[in-house]
Amino acid sequence: MSQRILVTGGTGYIGSNTAVELLSAGHEVEILDNLYNSKIEVLDEIEQITGKKPKFHQVDLLDEAGVTRVFKEGNFDAVIHFAGYKAVGESVDKPLEYYENNVTGTLHLLKAMRETGVKKIIFSSSATVYGVQESPEYVETMQTGGHLSNPYGRTKYFIEEILKDYSVADPEFQVCLLRYFNPVGAHPAGLLGDDPNGIPNNLMPFIMRVANGHLPELKIFGDDYPTEDGTCRRDYIHVVDLAKGHMAALDHLKPGVSIYNLGSGKPTSVKEIVTAFERARGEELPKSIAPRRSGDLPEFWANPAKAKAELNWQTELDIDDVMRDTLAYIAKHA
């Protein structure tokens, strides 16, 4: 059944790919974004892929009146909430900005939903809410909120708790918390990739900037971790698989709070990622080993069994697909 969906942060990396999946499935999509860390041209790229251009609202979630106005005009069935600052390192330097933007912005969103009777939300959460665990394989039943190493992760945790509390106050409220691991890749059309403003914090955008000559070399932060090759191991998930996870969540929303890991369940090391990119490109990258970054864990990955059992979702694309689509994106955005 077609629904009218508001996608906050919908011109961003994951939001735009999810908008494509929603439109392709016949849903009506409107995007709310302040373009702080994304580009307006993304709307044209969404249209190139789907033949449909979402209605766009350039509104900041901190503009409470503006957010309420969008909802009063929109008649939405559900919200998929991506909007938020997301750089771990920056959050340590700017904690107040992160708490205000991510938490206060979400409160404005929820108030507008309450005022207009919108009862469904899918929240873009993160594996960071797990903090440091005894086991590197994260399952949804693990305690969250303890030993969180940065304000970014705490904002995700706080928002999850706010959504849980609100679902108690309104038993009709339907919440799905999707805890991502490491989104990578691009849309296979060579559009809608991970291209943040400024110097990137995540591995693949950093690799892309080095490959297109915008940065002189790739820095690998630490090669002395207790892993097979000494570099950190993470669970990397193709952004298209991730977007399809949101579709599955939308189809299975129910009153109360549902929580799912979205990951592949298979860790890959930093060196393995770099080698896979170099193999796909047919050329080595200039790179060096740098000191460890504060807060980086040696390894962790998702146990995605719950999403497979309850959402009938699992990853279908692998690291080679990630590299193919990343190179296609680089070719179109050099």
Side-chain angles (χ1 to χ4, degrees), residues 131-188:
V132 180
Q133 300 284 345
E134 289 186 11
S135 166
E137 183 178 63
Y138 291 178
V139 295
E140 292 88 346
T141 52
M142 285 176 167
Q143 182 180 351
T144 57
H147 305 294
L148 301 183
S149 60
N150 58 77
Y152 162 74
R154 277 188 281 275
T155 68
K156 292 293 188 183
Y157 169 69
F158 292 155
I159 292 167
E160 284 197 3
E161 295 301 299
I162 289 166
L163 289 165
K164 289 175 186 176
D165 287 340
Y166 186 45
S167 75
V168 173
D170 182 354
E172 295 179 358
F173 200 56
Q174 303 180 30
V175 180
C176 185
L177 309 176
L178 297 180
R179 295 174 179 162
Y180 308 164
F181 282 68
N182 290 67
V184 287
H187 190 276

Coordinates of all heavy atoms in Angstrom, one line a residue, residues 131-188:
G131 N 28.2 1.0 22.8 CA 29.4 1.3 23.5 C 30.4 0.2 23.5 O 30.5 -0.6 22.5
V132 N 31.1 -0.1 24.6 CA 32.1 -1.1 24.6 C 31.4 -2.4 25.3 O 30.9 -2.3 26.3 CB 33.3 -0.7 25.5 CG1 34.3 -1.9 25.6 CG2 34.0 0.5 24.9
Q133 N 31.4 -3.5 24.5 CA 30.8 -4.7 25.0 C 31.9 -5.8 25.2 O 33.0 -5.7 24.6 CB 29.8 -5.2 24.0 CG 28.7 -4.2 23.7 CD 27.7 -4.2 24.9 OE1 27.6 -5.0 25.7 NE2 26.8 -3.1 24.9
E134 N 31.6 -6.8 26.0 CA 32.5 -7.9 26.2 C 32.7 -8.7 24.9 O 33.8 -9.2 24.6 CB 32.0 -8.8 27.3 CG 32.2 -8.2 28.7 CD 31.8 -9.1 29.8 OE1 31.7 -10.3 29.5 OE2 31.7 -8.7 30.9
S135 N 31.6 -8.9 24.1 CA 31.7 -9.6 22.9 C 31.7 -8.6 21.7 O 31.0 -7.6 21.7 CB 30.5 -10.5 22.7 OG 30.4 -11.0 21.4
P136 N 32.5 -8.9 20.6 CA 32.5 -8.0 19.5 C 31.3 -8.2 18.6 O 31.1 -7.4 17.6 CB 33.8 -8.3 18.8 CG 34.1 -9.7 19.1 CD 33.6 -9.9 20.5
E137 N 30.6 -9.2 18.8 CA 29.4 -9.5 18.0 C 28.2 -8.9 18.7 O 27.8 -9.4 19.8 CB 29.2 -11.0 17.7 CG 28.0 -11.2 16.8 CD 27.8 -12.7 16.5 OE1 27.5 -13.5 17.5 OE2 27.9 -13.1 15.4
Y138 N 27.6 -7.8 18.2 CA 26.6 -7.1 18.9 C 25.2 -7.6 18.5 O 24.8 -7.8 17.4 CB 26.6 -5.6 18.5 CG 27.9 -4.9 19.0 CD1 28.1 -3.5 18.7 CD2 28.8 -5.5 19.8 CE1 29.2 -2.8 19.1 CE2 29.9 -4.8 20.3 CZ 30.1 -3.5 19.9 OH 31.2 -2.8 20.4
V139 N 24.4 -7.9 19.6 CA 23.0 -8.3 19.4 C 22.1 -7.3 20.1 O 22.5 -6.5 21.0 CB 22.8 -9.7 20.0 CG1 23.6 -10.7 19.3 CG2 23.1 -9.7 21.5
E140 N 20.9 -7.2 19.6 CA 20.0 -6.2 20.1 C 19.6 -6.2 21.5 O 19.2 -5.2 22.1 CB 18.7 -6.2 19.2 CG 18.8 -5.9 17.8 CD 19.2 -7.1 16.9 OE1 19.6 -8.1 17.4 OE2 19.1 -6.9 15.7
T141 N 19.8 -7.4 22.2 CA 19.5 -7.5 23.6 C 20.6 -6.9 24.5 O 20.4 -6.8 25.7 CB 19.3 -9.0 24.0 OG1 20.4 -9.7 23.5 CG2 18.0 -9.5 23.3
M142 N 21.7 -6.6 23.9 CA 22.8 -6.0 24.8 C 22.4 -4.6 25.4 O 21.6 -3.9 24.8 CB 24.0 -5.8 23.9 CG 24.8 -7.0 23.6 SD 26.2 -6.7 22.5 CE 27.1 -8.2 22.7
Q143 N 22.9 -4.3 26.5 CA 22.6 -3.1 27.2 C 23.2 -1.9 26.3 O 24.3 -2.1 25.8 CB 23.2 -3.0 28.6 CG 22.9 -1.7 29.3 CD 23.5 -1.7 30.7 OE1 24.0 -2.7 31.2 NE2 23.4 -0.5 31.3
T144 N 22.5 -0.8 26.2 CA 23.0 0.3 25.5 C 23.2 1.5 26.5 O 22.7 1.5 27.6 CB 22.0 0.8 24.4 OG1 20.7 1.0 25.0 CG2 21.9 -0.3 23.3
G145 N 24.1 2.4 26.0 CA 24.2 3.7 26.8 C 25.4 3.6 27.7 O 25.8 4.7 28.2
G146 N 26.0 2.5 28.0 CA 27.2 2.4 28.9 C 28.5 2.5 28.1 O 28.6 2.0 27.0
H147 N 29.5 3.3 28.7 CA 30.8 3.4 28.1 C 30.7 3.9 26.7 O 31.5 3.4 25.8 CB 31.5 2.0 28.1 CG 31.6 1.4 29.5 ND1 32.4 2.0 30.5 CD2 31.0 0.3 30.0 CE1 32.2 1.2 31.6 NE2 31.4 0.2 31.3
L148 N 29.9 4.9 26.4 CA 29.9 5.5 25.1 C 31.0 6.5 25.0 O 31.2 7.3 25.9 CB 28.5 6.2 24.8 CG 27.3 5.3 24.9 CD1 26.0 6.1 24.6 CD2 27.4 4.2 24.0
S149 N 31.7 6.5 23.9 CA 33.0 7.2 23.9 C 32.9 8.6 23.3 O 33.9 9.3 23.2 CB 34.1 6.4 23.1 OG 33.6 6.2 21.7
N150 N 31.7 9.0 22.8 CA 31.6 10.3 22.2 C 30.2 10.9 22.2 O 29.3 10.1 22.3 CB 32.1 10.2 20.7 CG 31.4 9.2 19.9 OD1 30.2 9.5 19.5 ND2 31.9 8.1 19.7
P151 N 30.1 12.2 22.1 CA 28.7 12.8 22.2 C 27.8 12.4 21.0 O 26.6 12.3 21.2 CB 29.0 14.3 22.1 CG 30.4 14.4 22.7 CD 31.1 13.2 22.3
Y152 N 28.4 12.1 19.8 CA 27.6 11.6 18.7 C 26.8 10.4 19.1 O 25.6 10.3 19.0 CB 28.4 11.4 17.5 CG 27.7 10.5 16.5 CD1 26.7 11.0 15.7 CD2 28.1 9.1 16.3 CE1 26.0 10.2 14.8 CE2 27.4 8.3 15.4 CZ 26.4 8.8 14.7 OH 25.8 8.0 13.8
G153 N 27.5 9.4 19.7 CA 26.9 8.2 20.1 C 25.9 8.4 21.2 O 24.8 7.8 21.2
R154 N 26.2 9.3 22.1 CA 25.2 9.6 23.2 C 23.9 10.2 22.6 O 22.8 10.0 23.1 CB 25.8 10.5 24.2 CG 26.7 9.6 25.2 CD 27.1 10.5 26.4 NE 28.3 11.2 26.1 CZ 29.6 10.8 26.1 NH1 29.8 9.6 26.5 NH2 30.6 11.6 25.8
T155 N 24.0 11.1 21.6 CA 22.8 11.7 21.0 C 21.9 10.6 20.4 O 20.7 10.6 20.6 CB 23.1 12.7 19.9 OG1 23.7 12.1 18.8 CG2 24.0 13.8 20.4
K156 N 22.5 9.6 19.8 CA 21.7 8.5 19.2 C 21.1 7.7 20.4 O 19.9 7.3 20.3 CB 22.6 7.5 18.4 CG 23.2 8.1 17.1 CD 22.0 8.4 16.1 CE 22.6 8.8 14.8 NZ 21.5 9.1 13.8
Y157 N 21.8 7.5 21.4 CA 21.3 6.7 22.6 C 20.1 7.5 23.2 O 19.0 7.0 23.5 CB 22.4 6.5 23.6 CG 21.9 6.0 24.9 CD1 21.3 4.7 25.1 CD2 21.9 6.8 26.1 CE1 20.8 4.3 26.3 CE2 21.4 6.4 27.3 CZ 20.9 5.1 27.4 OH 20.4 4.7 28.6
F158 N 20.3 8.9 23.4 CA 19.3 9.7 24.1 C 18.0 9.7 23.2 O 16.9 9.6 23.7 CB 19.8 11.1 24.3 CG 20.9 11.3 25.3 CD1 21.8 12.3 25.3 CD2 21.0 10.3 26.3 CE1 22.8 12.5 26.2 CE2 22.0 10.5 27.3 CZ 22.9 11.6 27.2
I159 N 18.2 9.8 21.9 CA 17.0 9.8 21.0 C 16.3 8.5 21.1 O 15.0 8.5 21.1 CB 17.4 10.2 19.6 CG1 17.9 11.6 19.5 CG2 16.2 10.0 18.6 CD1 18.6 12.0 18.2
E160 N 17.0 7.4 21.1 CA 16.3 6.1 21.3 C 15.5 6.1 22.5 O 14.4 5.6 22.5 CB 17.4 5.0 21.3 CG 18.0 4.6 20.0 CD 18.7 3.2 20.0 OE1 18.6 2.6 21.1 OE2 19.2 2.8 19.0
E161 N 16.1 6.6 23.6 CA 15.4 6.6 24.9 C 14.1 7.5 24.9 O 13.1 7.1 25.4 CB 16.3 7.0 26.1 CG 17.4 6.0 26.3 CD 16.9 4.6 26.6 OE1 16.3 4.5 27.7 OE2 17.2 3.7 25.9
I162 N 14.2 8.6 24.2 CA 13.1 9.5 24.1 C 12.0 8.8 23.3 O 10.8 8.9 23.7 CB 13.5 10.8 23.4 CG1 14.4 11.7 24.3 CG2 12.3 11.6 22.9 CD1 15.2 12.8 23.6
L163 N 12.3 8.1 22.2 CA 11.3 7.4 21.4 C 10.7 6.3 22.2 O 9.5 6.1 22.1 CB 12.0 6.9 20.1 CG 12.4 8.0 19.1 CD1 13.3 7.4 18.0 CD2 11.1 8.5 18.4
K164 N 11.5 5.6 23.0 CA 10.9 4.6 23.9 C 9.9 5.2 24.9 O 8.8 4.6 25.1 CB 12.0 3.8 24.6 CG 12.9 2.9 23.7 CD 14.0 2.4 24.6 CE 15.0 1.6 23.7 NZ 16.2 1.1 24.5
D165 N 10.3 6.3 25.5 CA 9.4 6.9 26.5 C 8.1 7.4 25.8 O 7.0 7.3 26.4 CB 10.1 8.1 27.1 CG 11.2 7.7 28.1 OD1 11.2 6.5 28.6 OD2 12.1 8.5 28.4
Y166 N 8.2 8.0 24.6 CA 7.0 8.5 24.0 C 6.1 7.4 23.6 O 4.9 7.5 23.6 CB 7.4 9.4 22.8 CG 6.2 10.0 22.1 CD1 5.3 10.7 22.9 CD2 6.1 10.1 20.8 CE1 4.2 11.3 22.3 CE2 5.0 10.7 20.2 CZ 4.0 11.3 21.0 OH 3.0 11.9 20.4
S167 N 6.7 6.2 23.2 CA 5.8 5.1 22.8 C 5.0 4.6 24.0 O 4.0 4.0 23.8 CB 6.7 4.0 22.2 OG 7.4 3.3 23.2
V168 N 5.6 4.8 25.2 CA 4.8 4.4 26.4 C 3.7 5.4 26.6 O 2.5 5.0 27.0 CB 5.7 4.4 27.7 CG1 4.9 4.1 28.9 CG2 6.8 3.3 27.5
A169 N 3.9 6.6 26.4 CA 2.9 7.7 26.6 C 1.8 7.5 25.6 O 0.6 7.9 25.9 CB 3.5 9.1 26.5
D170 N 2.1 7.1 24.4 CA 1.1 6.9 23.3 C 1.2 5.5 22.8 O 2.0 5.2 21.9 CB 1.4 7.9 22.2 CG 0.4 7.8 21.0 OD1 -0.5 6.9 21.1 OD2 0.4 8.7 20.1
P171 N 0.3 4.6 23.3 CA 0.4 3.2 22.9 C 0.2 2.9 21.4 O 0.5 1.8 20.9 CB -0.7 2.5 23.7 CG -0.9 3.5 24.8 CD -0.7 4.8 24.3
E172 N -0.4 3.9 20.7 CA -0.5 3.7 19.2 C 0.7 4.1 18.4 O 0.8 3.8 17.2 CB -1.7 4.6 18.7 CG -3.0 4.3 19.3 CD -4.1 5.2 18.8 OE1 -3.8 6.1 18.0 OE2 -5.3 5.0 19.1
F173 N 1.7 4.7 19.1 CA 2.9 5.1 18.4 C 3.7 3.9 18.0 O 3.9 3.0 18.7 CB 3.7 6.0 19.4 CG 4.7 6.9 18.7 CD1 4.3 7.8 17.7 CD2 6.1 6.9 19.0 CE1 5.2 8.6 17.0 CE2 7.0 7.7 18.4 CZ 6.6 8.6 17.4
Q174 N 4.2 4.0 16.7 CA 5.0 2.9 16.1 C 6.4 3.3 15.8 O 6.6 4.2 15.0 CB 4.3 2.4 14.9 CG 2.9 1.9 15.1 CD 2.2 1.5 13.8 OE1 2.8 0.9 12.9 NE2 0.9 1.7 13.7
V175 N 7.4 2.7 16.5 CA 8.8 3.1 16.4 C 9.6 1.9 16.0 O 9.5 0.8 16.5 CB 9.3 3.6 17.8 CG1 10.8 4.0 17.7 CG2 8.5 4.7 18.4
C176 N 10.5 2.2 15.0 CA 11.5 1.2 14.7 C 12.9 1.9 14.8 O 13.1 2.9 14.1 CB 11.3 0.6 13.3 SG 12.5 -0.7 12.9
L177 N 13.8 1.3 15.6 CA 15.1 1.8 15.7 C 16.0 0.9 14.9 O 16.2 -0.3 15.2 CB 15.5 1.7 17.2 CG 14.6 2.4 18.2 CD1 15.1 2.2 19.6 CD2 14.5 3.9 17.9
L178 N 16.7 1.5 13.9 CA 17.6 0.7 13.1 C 19.0 1.1 13.4 O 19.4 2.2 13.2 CB 17.3 1.0 11.6 CG 15.9 0.6 11.1 CD1 15.8 0.9 9.6 CD2 15.7 -0.9 11.3
R179 N 19.8 0.1 13.9 CA 21.1 0.4 14.4 C 22.1 0.0 13.2 O 22.3 -1.2 13.0 CB 21.4 -0.4 15.7 CG 20.6 0.2 16.8 CD 20.8 -0.7 18.1 NE 20.0 -0.1 19.2 CZ 19.6 -0.7 20.3 NH1 20.0 -2.0 20.4 NH2 18.9 -0.2 21.2
Y180 N 22.6 1.0 12.6 CA 23.5 0.7 11.4 C 24.9 0.4 11.9 O 25.4 0.8 13.0 CB 23.7 2.0 10.6 CG 22.5 2.7 10.1 CD1 22.6 4.0 9.6 CD2 21.3 2.1 10.1 CE1 21.5 4.7 9.1 CE2 20.2 2.8 9.7 CZ 20.3 4.1 9.2 OH 19.2 4.8 8.7
F181 N 25.6 -0.3 11.0 CA 27.0 -0.5 11.3 C 27.8 0.4 10.4 O 27.8 1.6 10.6 CB 27.3 -2.0 11.2 CG 26.9 -2.7 12.5 CD1 25.6 -2.8 12.8 CD2 27.8 -3.1 13.4 CE1 25.2 -3.4 14.1 CE2 27.5 -3.7 14.6 CZ 26.1 -3.8 15.0
N182 N 28.5 0.0 9.3 CA 29.3 0.9 8.5 C 28.8 1.0 7.1 O 29.2 0.2 6.3 CB 30.8 0.5 8.6 CG 31.4 0.7 9.9 OD1 31.0 0.1 10.9 ND2 32.3 1.7 10.0
P183 N 27.9 2.0 6.8 CA 27.4 2.1 5.4 C 28.5 2.5 4.4 O 29.3 3.4 4.7 CB 26.3 3.2 5.5 CG 26.0 3.3 7.0 CD 27.3 2.9 7.7
V184 N 28.6 1.8 3.3 CA 29.6 2.1 2.3 C 28.9 1.9 0.9 O 27.8 1.4 0.7 CB 30.8 1.2 2.4 CG1 31.7 1.6 3.6 CG2 30.4 -0.2 2.5
G185 N 29.7 2.3 -0.2 CA 29.2 2.1 -1.5 C 28.4 3.3 -2.0 O 28.3 4.4 -1.4
A186 N 27.8 3.1 -3.2 CA 27.0 4.1 -3.8 C 25.9 3.5 -4.6 O 25.9 2.2 -4.8 CB 27.8 5.0 -4.8
H187 N 24.9 4.3 -5.1 CA 23.9 3.7 -6.0 C 24.6 3.1 -7.2 O 25.5 3.8 -7.7 CB 22.8 4.7 -6.3 CG 21.6 4.1 -7.0 ND1 21.6 3.9 -8.4 CD2 20.5 3.7 -6.5 CE1 20.5 3.3 -8.7 NE2 19.7 3.2 -7.6
P188 N 24.1 2.0 -7.7 CA 24.8 1.4 -8.9 C 24.8 2.3 -10.1 O 25.7 2.1 -11.0 CB 24.0 0.1 -9.2 CG 23.4 -0.2 -7.9 CD 23.1 1.1 -7.2

